[in-house]
Amino acid sequence: MMASPLFFPLALVLYFSPLKKQQIIEHISKVSEAAMEKMKGEIVEEERSNCDNEGDGKLKVRILVVDDSLLDRKVVERLLNKSEEGFEVITVDNGKKAMDILGLNEAETEPAAINDQSIDIVLTDYCMPGMTGYDLLKAVKGQSFPKPIPVVVMSSENEPQRISRCRAIGAEDFILKPIQIKDVQRLRNYAKPNASSPIVGSKRKMKPLELATESGGGSEKRPRLAGVVVA
Amino acid sequence: MAAFAQEQLDALVNSMYREGFLDEQFQQIRALDEGGSPDFLVELLGLFCADADRMLNEVTVVLNQPIVDYKKVDAYFHQLKGSSASVGAHSFNLTCMLVRDSCDKNDKEGNIFLMQLLGGIEPGQTEVL
């Protein structure tokens, strides 16, 4: 019984008057309920953050899709979201916005760009007004990100010169539009989320009462029940 | 009743596949619909039709100019070619490629003929309005 976590609360109840006992019991119940609620909240939070990741140990990949065609953006976004490859999709309609998201600024030359939104891979259309996909590719590959960002170019034109031009400056791949399921699987292979990210699926076990251990020295660690007021 | 309508729709779609109007991309788009509801397909087709309508009107204006800017026509049909491929509109896509070939040759008559095929110009019109 000494080892039981309920020993001290029970001892307090046994040694006080009935009225005090009742008050103590009520207080213990409230503390227990509060502790339970807090733990429930923590578990929900943990599960929510785990839901950001795909199951089966996969990590979600943040993909930036750049295409001036709304129709194409919708198709690609839907395909990526519905695939089981675990993508979190961000879409923009021009290269300049893509540069902003990647933390690249054409006006300034910074020694190291900051990928604030943690983009894991860029999928860009080749033909776009203003800044083309090729220009964007060149800009991304010309920067020194802490973690290099793979860039895959897509185009409706199957031009060997265009393809080799993109590969020559570092494009990981060149995909012919319209994009297919098999292309989505290839994209997943190019993107490598941070290896130190937690593996999803672990859950904390709920205990009826959480006890805090006292810090400091001593051969014995005496558990104490937080929040109990003894009259 | 709903089952009968679905059968008719499937028969129509199958015939369009056989005649080359649609290709497997259309099937892929249908597969992206959730829970059997065609909302996504309807949305995409709506976007495509709106885009096609707008661009064909703009091409008509360009073709009406005394000096036709074939690069502009080519740019419009490049976009249309892309969108039609994305929704699986196979024959539309092929026609767009033919228009682009005509643009390479500065072939106004060829462009007008193909625009008629796409419905951008009324058949029988010799002058673009």
Side-chain angles (χ1 to χ4, degrees), chain A residues 68-72 74-75 78-79 82 127 156-157 162 177-181, chain B residues 25 28-29 31-34 40 43-44 47-48 78 81 83 85-87 100:
Chain A
D68 61 312
S69 163
L70 174 60
L71 193 149
D72 286 351
K74 282 189 177 284
V75 171
R78 180 63 77 107
L79 199 59
K82 280 212 89 176
C127 279
S156 55
E157 309 281 342
R162 185 178 287 189
K177 285 166 113 178
I179 202 164
Q180 307 287 322
I181 297 280
Chain B
Q25 178 65 13
Q28 175 163 274
I29 301 295
L32 292 177
D33 267 319
E34 286 169 353
F40 182 63
E43 184 190 2
L44 282 191
L47 278 174
F48 171 65
H78 169 75
K81 177 176 153 288
S83 328
S86 293
V87 297
R100 296 188 75 198

Side-chain angles (χ1 to χ4, degrees), chain B residues 61-102:
Chain B
V61 169
V62 174
L63 287 177
N64 265 323
Q65 303 303 312
I67 298 170
V68 176
D69 186 347
Y70 288 102
K71 276 192 177 169
K72 253 189 185 173
V73 177
D74 182 71
Y76 283 124
F77 275 95
H78 169 75
Q79 287 184 63
L80 273 176
K81 177 176 153 288
S83 328
S84 56
S86 293
V87 297
H90 184 66
S91 55
F92 195 105
N93 178 260
L94 290 177
T95 309
C96 290
M97 288 191 217
L98 292 173
V99 171
R100 296 188 75 198
D101 285 343
S102 288

Side-chain angles (χ1 to χ4, degrees), chain A residues 54-121:
Chain A
E54 192 67 18
D56 306 327
K58 272 188 188 173
L59 301 171
K60 264 207 171 172
V61 168
R62 292 197 110 209
I63 181 165
L64 175 62
V65 177
V66 192
D67 199 321
D68 61 312
S69 163
L70 174 60
L71 193 149
D72 286 351
R73 283 201 308 278
K74 282 189 177 284
V75 171
V76 171
E77 185 176 20
R78 180 63 77 107
L79 199 59
L80 291 171
N81 280 331
K82 280 212 89 176
S83 77
E84 292 174 353
E85 303 296 336
F87 286 103
E88 186 184 326
V89 186
I90 299 152
T91 62
V92 292
D93 62 0
N94 66 68
K96 193 174 177 309
K97 285 181 189 169
M99 297 270 283
D100 290 340
I101 286 180
L102 293 166
L104 298 172
N105 191 323
E106 288 176 79
E108 297 166 17
T109 50
E110 293 177 7
I114 302 166
N115 184 7
D116 283 338
Q117 296 207 27
S118 302
I119 300 297
D120 295 310
I121 182 170

